[in-house]
Amino acid sequence: MTTDPTPGDRIAKVLSRAGIASRREAERMIAAGRVAVNGKVIDSPALNIVAADKITVDGKPVGEPEPPRIWLYHKPPGLVTTERDEKDRPTVFSTLPDTLPRVMSVGRLDLNSEGLLLLTNDGAVKRRLELPSTGWLRRYRVRINGSVSEAKLDQLRAGIEVEGIRYQPMTVTFDRQQGANAWLTVSLREGKNREIRRAMQALDVTVNRLIRVSYGPFQLGALKAGEVEELRQRVVRDQLGMSDKPKPARVRKPVNRPRRGKNQ
């Protein structure tokens, strides 16, 4: 093992890549004396690991890290996108199939929003796909109570400021009126917290359904609520190249959906 800052990767990153824990959780495990490198218990995460190093956690050897993987998940409404919730509400992670390894979400969808949520086993991939500089378009189907004029929608198309927060221009299409509600298609590249709901509220309308249908090249398609599909490794490699014109992503068959217990 080495403390040189150049070779290898930090121990917490290695444990995260191996699916043991998040980096923050790995640091807590190290502080608790549960991690050993080459037979020696370590007490600091300020350590770089190279391929020859042998790591154990609670006395069990840590295997080779998996390659980066990405799943498409159709999030139903009523789930929070966190591993634990202080209000004891059901979470996305408590409903995923047991066959999945430890995964992280790429960004979030709020409690009442639904649709496409990307999951990955790799923290570096998560951060890369969340970067605003990636510039990938997020597209949503939005149902509002009431109706809204093209003149008002032009405010969103030009960029709008709500309670001191400036939102970049959105692409907005009025699709149809359906009784007391109207359907819109909204596309944006930022994805700030509750951006669409707050922008619509500024136009004096309320969002009563919000479905994310795509995230960059990845499409919700016919994926049913609660289902998960893993991208083929070839597609993952292509998309992580961040080409200017990514090809539409193809997916594997849905993963079976046995449920985890709520408290797991």
Side-chain angles (χ1 to χ4, degrees):
M1 71 186 159
T2 177
T3 55
D4 188 294
T6 303
D9 291 313
R10 288 288 187 175
I11 178 67
K13 179 179 179 180
V14 173
L15 292 175
S16 177
R17 282 289 307 277
I20 301 299
S22 69
R23 292 193 191 190
R24 192 168 298 176
E25 289 167 346
E27 290 175 357
R28 287 196 285 265
M29 293 166 71
I30 291 166
R34 297 172 58 191
V35 181
V37 179
N38 300 331
K40 181 181 178 180
V41 174
I42 62 172
D43 58 9
S44 170
L47 178 70
N48 280 26
I49 297 298
V50 295
D53 290 327
K54 305 299 181 185
I55 308 169
T56 59
V57 175
D58 296 331
K60 298 177 181 179
V62 174
E64 292 292 324
E66 287 190 330
R69 299 167 68 184
I70 298 174
W71 291 262
L72 313 182
Y73 170 64
H74 186 157
K75 176 193 174 297
L79 300 178
V80 293
T81 315
T82 56
E83 293 205 30
R84 299 179 184 83
D85 182 65
E86 67 280 359
K87 298 180 181 178
D88 201 30
R89 295 171 295 187
T91 75
V92 163
F93 299 97
S94 68
T95 65
L96 294 176
D98 290 328
T99 50
L100 263 66
R102 180 188 171 275
V103 294
M104 299 158 275
S105 66
V106 177
R108 294 187 178 187
L109 286 173
D110 64 36
L111 177 69
N112 296 316
S113 297
E114 56 193 288
L116 181 61
L117 184 68
L118 300 184
L119 306 171
T120 181
N121 66 330
D122 191 293
V125 170
K126 166 184 166 67
R127 289 187 293 277
R128 188 173 187 181
L129 297 183
E130 288 175 344
L131 285 173
S133 59
T134 302
W136 275 353
L137 202 66
R138 287 88 153 162
R139 186 161 55 92
Y140 300 80
R141 296 275 288 130
V142 182
R143 189 177 69 188
I144 59 172
N145 182 248
S147 188
V148 63
S149 67
E150 286 294 323
K152 282 196 170 184
L153 294 181
D154 282 342
Q155 296 179 43
L156 304 184
R157 296 168 181 141
I160 190 171
E161 184 172 315
V162 181
E163 297 179 350
I165 300 175
R166 183 73 184 177
Y167 298 116
Q168 291 183 3
M170 305 177 189
T171 302
V172 186
T173 303
F174 186 96
D175 295 328
R176 71 181 187 277
Q177 192 73 31
Q178 188 177 45
N181 297 314
W183 281 96
L184 312 171
T185 299
V186 179
S187 300
L188 47 85
R189 296 187 185 275
E190 277 191 311
K192 291 179 179 175
N193 184 36
R194 299 179 63 82
E195 180 170 349
I196 293 175
R197 294 182 188 276
R198 288 172 174 169
M200 291 298 172
Q201 189 173 13
L203 302 185
D204 298 320
V205 293
T206 301
V207 173
N208 54 29
R209 192 172 183 191
L210 192 150
I211 311 165
R212 183 155 65 194
V213 295
S214 66
Y215 189 107
F218 307 115
Q219 307 290 322
L220 181 64
L223 198 64
K224 296 178 181 179
E227 283 188 340
V228 183
E229 290 179 348
E230 182 176 4
L231 296 176
R232 299 180 188 277
Q233 275 298 302
R234 176 183 57 79
V235 174
V236 173
R237 289 192 298 268
D238 288 348
Q239 299 303 337
L240 292 183
M242 300 295 180
S243 58
D244 292 335
K245 294 182 180 180
K247 297 178 182 179
R250 297 178 65 184
V251 296
R252 295 178 182 169
K253 294 180 180 180
V255 175
N256 292 331
R257 299 170 54 201
R259 300 291 186 178
R260 290 187 178 128
K262 183 176 179 182
N263 295 324
Q264 291 183 344

PDB file of all heavy atoms in Angstrom, residues 164-186:
ATOM      1  N   GLY A 164     -35.807  34.531  -6.480  1.00  0.00           N
ATOM      2  CA  GLY A 164     -34.369  34.773  -6.512  1.00  0.00           C
ATOM      3  C   GLY A 164     -33.549  33.702  -7.198  1.00  0.00           C
ATOM      4  O   GLY A 164     -32.323  33.838  -7.311  1.00  0.00           O
ATOM      5  N   ILE A 165     -34.193  32.649  -7.677  1.00  0.00           N
ATOM      6  CA  ILE A 165     -33.481  31.580  -8.394  1.00  0.00           C
ATOM      7  C   ILE A 165     -33.747  31.721  -9.878  1.00  0.00           C
ATOM      8  O   ILE A 165     -34.897  31.786 -10.324  1.00  0.00           O
ATOM      9  CB  ILE A 165     -33.931  30.186  -7.916  1.00  0.00           C
ATOM     10  CG1 ILE A 165     -33.662  30.027  -6.423  1.00  0.00           C
ATOM     11  CG2 ILE A 165     -33.228  29.090  -8.710  1.00  0.00           C
ATOM     12  CD1 ILE A 165     -34.187  28.730  -5.847  1.00  0.00           C
ATOM     13  N   ARG A 166     -32.668  31.789 -10.659  1.00  0.00           N
ATOM     14  CA  ARG A 166     -32.789  31.945 -12.101  1.00  0.00           C
ATOM     15  C   ARG A 166     -32.760  30.582 -12.791  1.00  0.00           C
ATOM     16  O   ARG A 166     -31.844  29.789 -12.561  1.00  0.00           O
ATOM     17  CB  ARG A 166     -31.631  32.799 -12.641  1.00  0.00           C
ATOM     18  CG  ARG A 166     -31.715  33.082 -14.145  1.00  0.00           C
ATOM     19  CD  ARG A 166     -32.808  34.080 -14.443  1.00  0.00           C
ATOM     20  NE  ARG A 166     -32.970  34.299 -15.879  1.00  0.00           N
ATOM     21  CZ  ARG A 166     -33.902  35.079 -16.398  1.00  0.00           C
ATOM     22  NH1 ARG A 166     -34.736  35.741 -15.600  1.00  0.00           N
ATOM     23  NH2 ARG A 166     -34.000  35.231 -17.707  1.00  0.00           N
ATOM     24  N   TYR A 167     -33.801  30.312 -13.582  1.00  0.00           N
ATOM     25  CA  TYR A 167     -33.872  29.067 -14.328  1.00  0.00           C
ATOM     26  C   TYR A 167     -33.570  29.332 -15.796  1.00  0.00           C
ATOM     27  O   TYR A 167     -34.075  30.296 -16.384  1.00  0.00           O
ATOM     28  CB  TYR A 167     -35.258  28.430 -14.189  1.00  0.00           C
ATOM     29  CG  TYR A 167     -35.602  28.051 -12.759  1.00  0.00           C
ATOM     30  CD1 TYR A 167     -36.650  28.660 -12.078  1.00  0.00           C
ATOM     31  CD2 TYR A 167     -34.860  27.086 -12.088  1.00  0.00           C
ATOM     32  CE1 TYR A 167     -36.964  28.316 -10.767  1.00  0.00           C
ATOM     33  CE2 TYR A 167     -35.161  26.734 -10.778  1.00  0.00           C
ATOM     34  CZ  TYR A 167     -36.211  27.356 -10.132  1.00  0.00           C
ATOM     35  OH  TYR A 167     -36.511  27.009  -8.834  1.00  0.00           O
ATOM     36  N   GLN A 168     -32.763  28.471 -16.379  1.00  0.00           N
ATOM     37  CA  GLN A 168     -32.407  28.620 -17.774  1.00  0.00           C
ATOM     38  C   GLN A 168     -33.623  28.402 -18.669  1.00  0.00           C
ATOM     39  O   GLN A 168     -34.613  27.800 -18.246  1.00  0.00           O
ATOM     40  CB  GLN A 168     -31.305  27.626 -18.148  1.00  0.00           C
ATOM     41  CG  GLN A 168     -29.968  27.933 -17.499  1.00  0.00           C
ATOM     42  CD  GLN A 168     -28.885  26.972 -17.953  1.00  0.00           C
ATOM     43  OE1 GLN A 168     -29.119  26.097 -18.796  1.00  0.00           O
ATOM     44  NE2 GLN A 168     -27.704  27.116 -17.396  1.00  0.00           N
ATOM     45  N   PRO A 169     -33.566  28.878 -19.919  1.00  0.00           N
ATOM     46  CA  PRO A 169     -34.695  28.675 -20.831  1.00  0.00           C
ATOM     47  C   PRO A 169     -35.070  27.202 -20.966  1.00  0.00           C
ATOM     48  O   PRO A 169     -34.207  26.324 -21.047  1.00  0.00           O
ATOM     49  CB  PRO A 169     -34.166  29.227 -22.160  1.00  0.00           C
ATOM     50  CG  PRO A 169     -33.155  30.263 -21.760  1.00  0.00           C
ATOM     51  CD  PRO A 169     -32.497  29.708 -20.531  1.00  0.00           C
ATOM     52  N   MET A 170     -36.370  26.957 -20.985  1.00  0.00           N
ATOM     53  CA  MET A 170     -36.897  25.601 -21.161  1.00  0.00           C
ATOM     54  C   MET A 170     -37.534  25.495 -22.537  1.00  0.00           C
ATOM     55  O   MET A 170     -37.993  26.487 -23.104  1.00  0.00           O
ATOM     56  CB  MET A 170     -37.969  25.300 -20.098  1.00  0.00           C
ATOM     57  CG  MET A 170     -37.521  25.484 -18.674  1.00  0.00           C
ATOM     58  SD  MET A 170     -38.904  25.186 -17.517  1.00  0.00           S
ATOM     59  CE  MET A 170     -38.172  25.737 -15.971  1.00  0.00           C
ATOM     60  N   THR A 171     -37.584  24.291 -23.053  1.00  0.00           N
ATOM     61  CA  THR A 171     -38.353  24.018 -24.259  1.00  0.00           C
ATOM     62  C   THR A 171     -39.718  23.510 -23.813  1.00  0.00           C
ATOM     63  O   THR A 171     -39.804  22.513 -23.098  1.00  0.00           O
ATOM     64  CB  THR A 171     -37.660  22.956 -25.131  1.00  0.00           C
ATOM     65  OG1 THR A 171     -36.351  23.420 -25.476  1.00  0.00           O
ATOM     66  CG2 THR A 171     -38.446  22.704 -26.404  1.00  0.00           C
ATOM     67  N   VAL A 172     -40.774  24.235 -24.191  1.00  0.00           N
ATOM     68  CA  VAL A 172     -42.117  23.909 -23.698  1.00  0.00           C
ATOM     69  C   VAL A 172     -43.090  23.800 -24.870  1.00  0.00           C
ATOM     70  O   VAL A 172     -43.156  24.686 -25.716  1.00  0.00           O
ATOM     71  CB  VAL A 172     -42.630  24.985 -22.713  1.00  0.00           C
ATOM     72  CG1 VAL A 172     -43.953  24.549 -22.100  1.00  0.00           C
ATOM     73  CG2 VAL A 172     -41.605  25.278 -21.641  1.00  0.00           C
ATOM     74  N   THR A 173     -43.834  22.701 -24.888  1.00  0.00           N
ATOM     75  CA  THR A 173     -44.873  22.493 -25.900  1.00  0.00           C
ATOM     76  C   THR A 173     -46.206  22.237 -25.208  1.00  0.00           C
ATOM     77  O   THR A 173     -46.285  21.419 -24.285  1.00  0.00           O
ATOM     78  CB  THR A 173     -44.534  21.280 -26.797  1.00  0.00           C
ATOM     79  OG1 THR A 173     -43.261  21.470 -27.398  1.00  0.00           O
ATOM     80  CG2 THR A 173     -45.579  21.103 -27.886  1.00  0.00           C
ATOM     81  N   PHE A 174     -47.233  22.987 -25.648  1.00  0.00           N
ATOM     82  CA  PHE A 174     -48.587  22.735 -25.148  1.00  0.00           C
ATOM     83  C   PHE A 174     -49.153  21.584 -25.965  1.00  0.00           C
ATOM     84  O   PHE A 174     -49.292  21.683 -27.183  1.00  0.00           O
ATOM     85  CB  PHE A 174     -49.457  23.982 -25.297  1.00  0.00           C
ATOM     86  CG  PHE A 174     -50.821  23.861 -24.671  1.00  0.00           C
ATOM     87  CD1 PHE A 174     -51.058  24.330 -23.401  1.00  0.00           C
ATOM     88  CD2 PHE A 174     -51.869  23.248 -25.354  1.00  0.00           C
ATOM     89  CE1 PHE A 174     -52.308  24.214 -22.806  1.00  0.00           C
ATOM     90  CE2 PHE A 174     -53.124  23.126 -24.776  1.00  0.00           C
ATOM     91  CZ  PHE A 174     -53.343  23.608 -23.495  1.00  0.00           C
ATOM     92  N   ASP A 175     -49.485  20.464 -25.294  1.00  0.00           N
ATOM     93  CA  ASP A 175     -49.927  19.275 -26.013  1.00  0.00           C
ATOM     94  C   ASP A 175     -51.441  19.215 -26.180  1.00  0.00           C
ATOM     95  O   ASP A 175     -51.954  19.103 -27.286  1.00  0.00           O
ATOM     96  CB  ASP A 175     -49.420  18.014 -25.300  1.00  0.00           C
ATOM     97  CG  ASP A 175     -47.902  17.917 -25.319  1.00  0.00           C
ATOM     98  OD1 ASP A 175     -47.295  18.381 -26.303  1.00  0.00           O
ATOM     99  OD2 ASP A 175     -47.328  17.400 -24.347  1.00  0.00           O
ATOM    100  N   ARG A 176     -52.175  19.273 -25.065  1.00  0.00           N
ATOM    101  CA  ARG A 176     -53.630  19.196 -25.189  1.00  0.00           C
ATOM    102  C   ARG A 176     -54.295  19.602 -23.882  1.00  0.00           C
ATOM    103  O   ARG A 176     -53.684  19.529 -22.821  1.00  0.00           O
ATOM    104  CB  ARG A 176     -54.074  17.784 -25.571  1.00  0.00           C
ATOM    105  CG  ARG A 176     -53.925  16.744 -24.483  1.00  0.00           C
ATOM    106  CD  ARG A 176     -54.366  15.365 -24.966  1.00  0.00           C
ATOM    107  NE  ARG A 176     -54.396  14.379 -23.900  1.00  0.00           N
ATOM    108  CZ  ARG A 176     -53.345  13.707 -23.460  1.00  0.00           C
ATOM    109  NH1 ARG A 176     -52.153  13.934 -23.988  1.00  0.00           N
ATOM    110  NH2 ARG A 176     -53.474  12.818 -22.489  1.00  0.00           N
ATOM    111  N   GLN A 177     -55.543  20.045 -24.000  1.00  0.00           N
ATOM    112  CA  GLN A 177     -56.386  20.302 -22.838  1.00  0.00           C
ATOM    113  C   GLN A 177     -57.207  19.050 -22.581  1.00  0.00           C
ATOM    114  O   GLN A 177     -57.728  18.423 -23.508  1.00  0.00           O
ATOM    115  CB  GLN A 177     -57.312  21.486 -23.097  1.00  0.00           C
ATOM    116  CG  GLN A 177     -58.034  22.016 -21.858  1.00  0.00           C
ATOM    117  CD  GLN A 177     -57.112  22.789 -20.918  1.00  0.00           C
ATOM    118  OE1 GLN A 177     -56.169  23.421 -21.359  1.00  0.00           O
ATOM    119  NE2 GLN A 177     -57.396  22.727 -19.627  1.00  0.00           N
ATOM    120  N   GLN A 178     -57.291  18.636 -21.318  1.00  0.00           N
ATOM    121  CA  GLN A 178     -58.022  17.436 -20.955  1.00  0.00           C
ATOM    122  C   GLN A 178     -58.909  17.763 -19.759  1.00  0.00           C
ATOM    123  O   GLN A 178     -58.505  17.622 -18.606  1.00  0.00           O
ATOM    124  CB  GLN A 178     -57.053  16.300 -20.631  1.00  0.00           C
ATOM    125  CG  GLN A 178     -57.697  14.943 -20.431  1.00  0.00           C
ATOM    126  CD  GLN A 178     -56.652  13.858 -20.174  1.00  0.00           C
ATOM    127  OE1 GLN A 178     -55.726  14.048 -19.390  1.00  0.00           O
ATOM    128  NE2 GLN A 178     -56.805  12.715 -20.824  1.00  0.00           N
ATOM    129  N   GLY A 179     -60.102  18.219 -20.049  1.00  0.00           N
ATOM    130  CA  GLY A 179     -61.002  18.645 -18.993  1.00  0.00           C
ATOM    131  C   GLY A 179     -60.424  19.841 -18.254  1.00  0.00           C
ATOM    132  O   GLY A 179     -60.064  20.857 -18.859  1.00  0.00           O
ATOM    133  N   ALA A 180     -60.311  19.711 -16.927  1.00  0.00           N
ATOM    134  CA  ALA A 180     -59.785  20.814 -16.119  1.00  0.00           C
ATOM    135  C   ALA A 180     -58.267  20.875 -16.139  1.00  0.00           C
ATOM    136  O   ALA A 180     -57.683  21.809 -15.591  1.00  0.00           O
ATOM    137  CB  ALA A 180     -60.265  20.666 -14.676  1.00  0.00           C
ATOM    138  N   ASN A 181     -57.644  19.904 -16.787  1.00  0.00           N
ATOM    139  CA  ASN A 181     -56.184  19.844 -16.815  1.00  0.00           C
ATOM    140  C   ASN A 181     -55.644  20.061 -18.224  1.00  0.00           C
ATOM    141  O   ASN A 181     -56.377  19.922 -19.212  1.00  0.00           O
ATOM    142  CB  ASN A 181     -55.703  18.477 -16.304  1.00  0.00           C
ATOM    143  CG  ASN A 181     -56.081  18.236 -14.859  1.00  0.00           C
ATOM    144  OD1 ASN A 181     -55.912  19.104 -14.006  1.00  0.00           O
ATOM    145  ND2 ASN A 181     -56.617  17.050 -14.576  1.00  0.00           N
ATOM    146  N   ALA A 182     -54.359  20.365 -18.289  1.00  0.00           N
ATOM    147  CA  ALA A 182     -53.666  20.484 -19.571  1.00  0.00           C
ATOM    148  C   ALA A 182     -52.355  19.717 -19.484  1.00  0.00           C
ATOM    149  O   ALA A 182     -51.720  19.655 -18.425  1.00  0.00           O
ATOM    150  CB  ALA A 182     -53.405  21.950 -19.908  1.00  0.00           C
ATOM    151  N   TRP A 183     -51.950  19.133 -20.626  1.00  0.00           N
ATOM    152  CA  TRP A 183     -50.679  18.407 -20.707  1.00  0.00           C
ATOM    153  C   TRP A 183     -49.664  19.215 -21.493  1.00  0.00           C
ATOM    154  O   TRP A 183     -49.965  19.764 -22.555  1.00  0.00           O
ATOM    155  CB  TRP A 183     -50.876  17.054 -21.384  1.00  0.00           C
ATOM    156  CG  TRP A 183     -51.449  15.998 -20.496  1.00  0.00           C
ATOM    157  CD1 TRP A 183     -52.759  15.630 -20.397  1.00  0.00           C
ATOM    158  CD2 TRP A 183     -50.722  15.168 -19.580  1.00  0.00           C
ATOM    159  NE1 TRP A 183     -52.906  14.617 -19.468  1.00  0.00           N
ATOM    160  CE2 TRP A 183     -51.666  14.308 -18.958  1.00  0.00           C
ATOM    161  CE3 TRP A 183     -49.378  15.061 -19.229  1.00  0.00           C
ATOM    162  CZ2 TRP A 183     -51.306  13.363 -18.002  1.00  0.00           C
ATOM    163  CZ3 TRP A 183     -49.010  14.116 -18.283  1.00  0.00           C
ATOM    164  CH2 TRP A 183     -49.963  13.277 -17.677  1.00  0.00           C
ATOM    165  N   LEU A 184     -48.449  19.278 -20.945  1.00  0.00           N
ATOM    166  CA  LEU A 184     -47.337  19.960 -21.598  1.00  0.00           C
ATOM    167  C   LEU A 184     -46.169  18.991 -21.709  1.00  0.00           C
ATOM    168  O   LEU A 184     -46.069  18.024 -20.938  1.00  0.00           O
ATOM    169  CB  LEU A 184     -46.875  21.183 -20.786  1.00  0.00           C
ATOM    170  CG  LEU A 184     -47.924  22.171 -20.273  1.00  0.00           C
ATOM    171  CD1 LEU A 184     -47.271  23.166 -19.328  1.00  0.00           C
ATOM    172  CD2 LEU A 184     -48.578  22.898 -21.432  1.00  0.00           C
ATOM    173  N   THR A 185     -45.276  19.245 -22.653  1.00  0.00           N
ATOM    174  CA  THR A 185     -43.976  18.586 -22.683  1.00  0.00           C
ATOM    175  C   THR A 185     -42.927  19.644 -22.390  1.00  0.00           C
ATOM    176  O   THR A 185     -42.892  20.684 -23.054  1.00  0.00           O
ATOM    177  CB  THR A 185     -43.698  17.932 -24.046  1.00  0.00           C
ATOM    178  OG1 THR A 185     -44.690  16.933 -24.299  1.00  0.00           O
ATOM    179  CG2 THR A 185     -42.326  17.274 -24.061  1.00  0.00           C
ATOM    180  N   VAL A 186     -42.109  19.386 -21.372  1.00  0.00           N
ATOM    181  CA  VAL A 186     -41.100  20.357 -20.933  1.00  0.00           C
ATOM    182  C   VAL A 186     -39.730  19.686 -20.969  1.00  0.00           C
ATOM    183  O   VAL A 186     -39.555  18.589 -20.433  1.00  0.00           O
ATOM    184  CB  VAL A 186     -41.399  20.871 -19.504  1.00  0.00           C
ATOM    185  CG1 VAL A 186     -40.326  21.867 -19.064  1.00  0.00           C
ATOM    186  CG2 VAL A 186     -42.784  21.514 -19.445  1.00  0.00           C
TER     187      VAL A 186
END
